[in-house]
Amino acid sequence: MPANSRAQAIQEIRAREVRIVPGMSSPYRVAERYGENTFGLDAMRDKLPSSAFKKLQRTVKRGEKLDRAIADAVAHAMKEWALEKGATHFCHWFQPQTGLTAEKHDAFLSFDDQGKAIERFSGGQLIQSEPDASSFPSGGMRSTFEARGYTAWDASSPVFIMEGPNGKTLCIPSVFISYHGHALDLKTPLLRSMETLNKSACRMIELLGRSCERVVPTLGAEQEYFLIDQAFYTLRPDLIAAGRTLLGAKPAKGQQLEDHYFGSIKARILAYMQECERELFKLGVPVKTRHNEVAPAQYETAPIFEEANIAADHNQLVMETLRSVARRHHLALLLHEKPFAGVNGSGKHNNWSMSDDQGTNLLDPGKTPSQNLQFLVFLLATLKGVHRRAGLLRAAIAVSGNDHRLGANEAPPAIISAFLGEQLTGILNAIEKGKGLEEGGEERLIELGLGKLPEVSRDYTDRNRTSPFAFTGNKFEFRAVPSSAVISWPVSVLNSAVAEALDEMHAAIQKRVAKKVSVTKAAMEVVREAILETKPVRFEGNNYDPAWVKEAAKRGLPNLRKAPEALAELVKDDAPKFFAKAGVMTEGEVEARYHVNLERYIKDIQIEADALHNLVRTSVLPAATSHQRTLSKSITEAQAALGAPKAINGPTQNKTLQPQVDDLKACAEAIGDLHAKLAALGKAQEAAEGIGDLPKQARAYADEVLPAMGELRSVCDRLEETVDDALWPLPKYREMLFLI
Ligand code: ADP
Ligand code: MG
């Protein structure tokens, strides 16, 4: 019989077998099966009259509102398709500000005039539904406005079928807005920011002399995650409550051997990844790569990039699928940014660029002078946006989990800077010195080496892994995004920042053109201005170097280390106006979002502190006192046998027992420390809870409660290293991270 439930879990895990899904090893053609559970082009064409099909296609392509006239026909076609697939229910699937997706299922069930049961799905039901908004975070929007909230189909994102254990549901990707049209979700701002960027970018392209119908931001989100065995997970109340371990001693072997990254994938994990991918292919999610990450038990999957709103929905599906499939394999998925102290945390690198209706990547240096010019304009607009709105980009990635990651020597720091690589920096320096500025001078850009940039720089740029915002050949990689994030939000800020910069550059170019300067010369001059202006935000060095913190301060870059100070950026200076001007959020919506995020931060830390309290009282203390009892009993018995009484209170008369008495003393002292630190944490919590002002309260949790938790933890970890292994009830790092 195993000594405790932890030992039992280990036995259970050792007996685990790799999950083999019946039929999965038979031949499978991705291309044939891809998107089979989505109502895609083929299904639409198949099920709709051609006029409705054409209209719907336009709606989907442009992300426009669905024409009411065809809504019933589309809904009917969708229902027919869904029923054939075996669906019984439908739901509007949306992204409230909880960090998760939400869904409320309705059966297709209805009754006809004779009271006979039929399956019905109307255009109205497809377009709009009315979930009770009052149970979702709104940051006060409800009290000022309306309790009612609506979800409305986002026709640009494909409808899909979600397979449950005992049935299927038709899911309709939707936005979530209040009665008065205020955004209550994360998707609405994203769609609005895409529209703003579209307008600004098209205008710029047209000014540069090309026609342009549409520009979309493109996005590929690399998803990092941890997997541990479900049996261990169940025994860690901290993982269950907070998503991260709140205590746990460092294992002898962590990631120092660097043997996990790109290492061969264990069979049990590979089986899991394969099943995830199979599910995601059905949903039309283009997952492409899989590999081990740096930390033990850490992995990554990355998709092929897509239009940002589709990529955002797909990333939600990736996270959900990773979670649901994990259970089938007796694995627990950890999406937290820092589930384990002392080993790397998880991020979600957001690869971002812009593409026009011809499919031209606007951040691709191109091969001709005019392509180069366009590239430079969009590159500098991006840098300008990142420079000017660095604080807001930091705010957009501010969640409690990311604070453990940003600034540690594994993830980009909290200072937002951009990396370009040696070659591109060289080109910008040359332009700064006046190259390419004469009339017709943009021809020279080819000579500067722009034309052959992609191949060379792709190799080079990948080497700076320390930058939070790095140019990687033909796109930027925003690396500071948290692994658990709904990417709609950071991408909204990025889109808006770049749109703002494009508008500014557009005005500056036009001003020169009005004075009879040629467009190309004017554009090059404005590029040069932007090169000078963005100097502070460009950083090619090691972002982990402590000297960078000082240097960044000199350059005037914000260093917002903790979430509460980062979030404050949302309401600072002209930030609310910036969002309002971009059409992304009203000033009221910005304020509401600030509150939702602060509240979320506070609740996160409250949950963590309570969970730690409980864990120490019910697991660590009992284990420590049992250990103390064993030690003291053993000493007493040994002394009786050796004839050296009264050792515990006075000095031992038998010297050989002294080290054991020292151990006992250390154990007793640690237990005393535990009590003291528990009390200190309780005090800090109480003080924080009593603060009425939300921003101040958040600061108190960051500055007082979290450090108190850290101190308590270090006593626990010291004890874990000395208490009898058989008495320790919580799965240890060395087990959770390595036993699969
Ligand atoms: P790297 O090795 O530099 O990270 P990869 O080619 O592996 O580059 O791409 C990483 C991610 O970037 C993938 O999800 C990929 O689809 C995405 N990506 C590539 N090009 C673009 C682009 N133009 N816009 C957005 N994402 C892109
Ligand atoms: Mg990458």
Side-chain angles (χ1 to χ4, degrees):
M1 202 39 208
N4 62 13
S5 41
R6 176 175 141 245
Q8 224 165 17
I10 293 173
Q11 273 199 347
E12 206 179 303
I13 292 160
R14 283 164 110 178
R16 290 235 197 277
E17 282 176 16
V18 175
R19 171 177 151 90
I20 305 293
V21 183
M24 241 189 89
S25 54
S26 33
Y28 175 90
R29 300 284 298 270
V30 182
E32 284 164 15
R33 309 286 296 275
Y34 185 74
E36 63 185 343
N37 276 0
T38 59
F39 191 63
L41 273 188
D42 287 344
M44 285 179 201
R45 200 179 292 117
D46 191 35
K47 292 266 179 273
L48 276 170
S50 81
S51 67
F53 169 70
K54 278 195 193 118
K55 266 192 188 165
L56 179 61
Q57 220 186 353
R58 264 206 309 277
T59 310
V60 169
K61 224 167 154 196
R62 304 216 179 122
E64 286 165 4
K65 260 190 121 173
L66 183 67
D67 185 347
R68 271 317 292 245
I70 61 161
D72 280 324
V74 173
H76 178 77
M78 242 178 226
K79 183 198 72 185
E80 290 301 303
W81 171 79
L83 292 179
E84 271 171 31
K85 289 269 173 196
T88 53
H89 288 64
F90 69 93
C91 76
H92 279 226
W93 182 84
F94 58 102
Q95 304 166 10
Q97 299 171 69
T98 56
L100 304 168
T101 45
E103 49 198 70
K104 178 183 159 237
H105 299 193
D106 274 305
F108 287 123
L109 175 68
S110 190
F111 294 99
D112 69 6
D113 300 341
Q114 275 81 48
K116 187 168 141 28
I118 53 165
E119 279 133 343
R120 181 175 286 159
F121 183 49
S122 70
Q125 286 171 311
L126 164 65
I127 292 179
Q128 188 168 305
S129 128
E130 192 182 335
D132 180 10
S134 60
S135 303
F136 291 105
S138 75
M141 294 297 283
R142 276 189 322 271
S143 50
T144 17
F145 300 97
E146 260 280 350
R148 265 183 294 172
Y150 293 95
T151 55
W153 182 30
D154 164 19
S156 62
S157 186
V159 164
F160 60 91
I161 284 178
M162 184 78 89
E163 295 180 356
N166 293 315
K168 299 178 183 176
T169 306
L170 176 73
C171 295
I172 303 158
S174 301
V175 294
F176 184 37
I177 47 183
S178 78
Y179 181 71
H180 287 284
H182 294 278
L184 294 173
D185 65 349
L186 296 160
K187 184 81 176 287
T188 306
L190 174 63
L191 293 173
R192 292 176 182 164
S193 75
M194 286 174 67
E195 196 37 50
T196 304
L197 181 61
N198 170 35
K199 278 198 197 115
S200 303
C202 278
R203 224 155 55 109
M204 179 59 89
I205 291 174
E206 276 162 8
L207 180 60
L208 296 179
R210 272 200 315 129
S211 72
C212 175
E213 290 213 352
R214 190 158 173 257
V215 167
V216 287
T218 50
L219 199 87
E222 303 167 41
Q223 180 70 53
E224 291 180 339
Y225 59 95
F226 278 84
L227 289 171
I228 64 167
D229 194 279
Q230 180 77 41
F232 285 145
Y233 179 80
T234 325
L235 293 177
R236 294 286 314 210
D238 46 357
L239 283 178
I240 294 172
R244 74 176 178 106
T245 54
L246 299 168
L247 51 86
K250 272 205 184 78
K253 178 182 186 278
Q255 64 187 50
Q256 61 271 57
L257 298 181
E258 297 177 330
D259 52 358
H260 192 64
Y261 190 57
F262 279 14
S264 67
I265 303 170
K266 285 181 184 155
R268 204 174 145 207
I269 301 295
L270 184 58
Y272 161 80
M273 290 173 166
Q274 287 167 328
E275 195 174 345
C276 284
E277 287 159 359
R278 203 59 80 80
E279 295 290 349
L280 288 164
F281 288 152
K282 285 189 213 165
L283 294 169
V285 179
V287 278
K288 175 95 170 150
T289 61
R290 53 163 107 114
H291 61 82
N292 288 354
E293 257 302 324
V294 173
Q298 192 188 27
Y299 311 93
E300 184 189 292
T301 179
I304 295 172
F305 69 93
E306 299 173 282
E307 297 189 3
N309 59 321
I310 312 277
D313 279 1
H314 281 172
N315 183 251
Q316 292 300 116
L317 287 176
V318 165
M319 292 193 285
E320 284 185 15
T321 305
L322 287 175
R323 189 175 303 287
S324 62
V325 174
R327 290 201 192 101
R328 302 180 203 160
H329 292 255
H330 298 287
L331 293 167
L333 173 78
L334 308 177
L335 283 179
H336 193 280
E337 287 69 32
K338 193 74 176 178
F340 302 98
V343 297
N344 274 12
S346 299
K348 179 146 52 194
H349 297 176
N350 274 213
N351 295 271
W352 178 93
S353 187
M354 291 160 279
S355 171
D356 68 13
D357 44 281
Q358 311 291 310
T360 308
N361 177 352
L362 301 178
L363 288 178
D364 195 327
K367 299 238 177 327
T368 67
S370 68
Q371 283 170 348
N372 285 172
L373 183 63
Q374 177 179 291
F375 163 70
L376 284 171
V377 167
F378 279 89
L379 176 77
L380 267 303
T382 310
L383 291 175
K384 255 170 85 85
V386 170
H387 182 216
R388 174 104 180 262
R389 299 299 171 188
L392 290 179
L393 285 167
R394 171 67 185 91
I397 52 164
V399 292
S400 67
N402 224 13
D403 283 3
H404 302 284
R405 186 175 155 256
L406 300 182
N409 275 4
E410 52 163 285
I415 306 162
I416 303 285
S417 70
F419 171 85
L420 291 183
E422 194 177 15
Q423 204 182 6
L424 198 46
T425 302
I427 290 167
L428 297 198
N429 288 343
I431 298 172
E432 186 188 325
K433 291 206 189 82
K435 285 232 172 84
L437 286 179
E438 60 278 23
E439 278 290 353
E442 79 280 1
E443 297 280 347
R444 297 270 181 82
L445 294 176
I446 291 273
E447 289 167 36
L448 290 176
L450 265 178
K452 51 179 178 350
L453 201 60
E455 301 84 53
V456 188
S457 71
R458 209 170 273 170
D459 285 343
Y460 178 75
T461 49
D462 231 32
R463 278 189 231 149
N464 194 330
R465 284 271 162 216
T466 70
S467 176
F469 199 82
F471 186 71
T472 48
N474 57 4
K475 63 185 190 292
F476 275 97
E477 193 168 325
F478 188 12
R479 296 191 176 129
V481 179
S483 50
S484 67
V486 177
I487 56 179
S488 298
W489 179 218
V491 175
S492 299
V493 177
L494 182 55
N495 291 343
S496 311
V498 176
E500 178 186 49
L502 279 169
D503 287 351
E504 222 175 271
M505 290 172 81
H506 185 275
I509 295 171
Q510 260 193 336
K511 215 160 131 193
R512 287 173 166 80
V513 172
K515 289 186 193 145
K516 300 277 177 296
V517 180
S518 77
V519 172
T520 45
K521 185 168 188 320
M524 281 307 288
E525 283 176 10
V526 171
V527 162
R528 182 168 178 273
E529 274 181 9
I531 289 173
L532 289 167
E533 182 193 320
T534 58
K535 258 191 158 164
V537 84
R538 285 187 271 133
F539 180 60
E540 300 293 300
N542 178 6
N543 285 256
Y544 300 166
D545 190 341
W548 168 232
V549 177
K550 280 196 198 130
E551 166 70 16
K554 256 195 251 154
R555 294 184 182 194
L557 300 179
N559 182 9
L560 306 159
R561 265 163 304 210
K562 297 178 185 177
E565 52 183 324
L567 289 172
E569 294 289 308
L570 291 175
V571 290
K572 216 171 107 188
D573 304 331
D574 69 335
K577 288 211 164 56
F578 156 73
F579 283 116
K581 196 162 162 243
V584 167
M585 282 188 270
T586 62
E587 294 186 33
E589 284 174 330
V590 177
E591 182 78 27
R593 234 145 257 256
Y594 175 48
H595 280 225
V596 168
N597 283 302
L598 272 183
E599 270 172 11
R600 177 58 197 258
Y601 178 83
I602 290 168
K603 283 179 193 160
D604 279 354
I605 311 296
Q606 277 172 341
I607 291 171
E608 288 186 356
D610 287 346
L612 181 61
H613 231 276
N614 196 271
L615 205 52
V616 173
R617 283 230 159 262
T618 60
S619 293
V620 178
L621 262 177
T625 41
S626 294
H627 184 63
Q628 180 180 251
R629 191 177 315 120
T630 315
L631 288 180
S632 83
K633 253 170 109 183
S634 139
I635 293 171
T636 315
E637 283 168 19
Q639 279 178 334
L642 296 172
K646 276 212 309 188
I648 294 171
N649 299 323
T652 11
Q653 285 158 34
N654 189 327
K655 277 255 184 304
T656 42
L657 289 181
Q658 192 56 46
Q660 297 181 42
V661 174
D662 291 345
D663 271 358
L664 175 61
K665 265 193 202 149
C667 181
E669 273 165 21
I671 292 174
D673 272 358
L674 271 187
H675 282 286
K677 304 290 182 200
L678 263 176
L681 173 59
K683 248 187 161 164
Q685 276 182 274
E686 215 172 289
E689 263 154 45
I691 299 174
D693 176 72
L694 212 55
K696 282 202 186 115
Q697 193 183 28
R699 290 302 303 240
Y701 277 102
D703 299 340
E704 309 297 334
V705 178
L706 268 174
M709 287 170 59
E711 290 197 12
L712 178 55
R713 176 197 180 131
S714 67
V715 185
C716 296
D717 293 356
R718 219 165 71 217
L719 272 164
E720 186 185 317
E721 281 167 339
T722 49
V723 165
D724 179 1
D725 192 63
L727 293 173
W728 198 258
L730 301 165
K732 298 186 170 184
Y733 271 30
R734 61 161 195 252
E735 294 154 353
M736 289 187 284
L737 289 171
F738 293 97
L739 300 187
I740 280 289

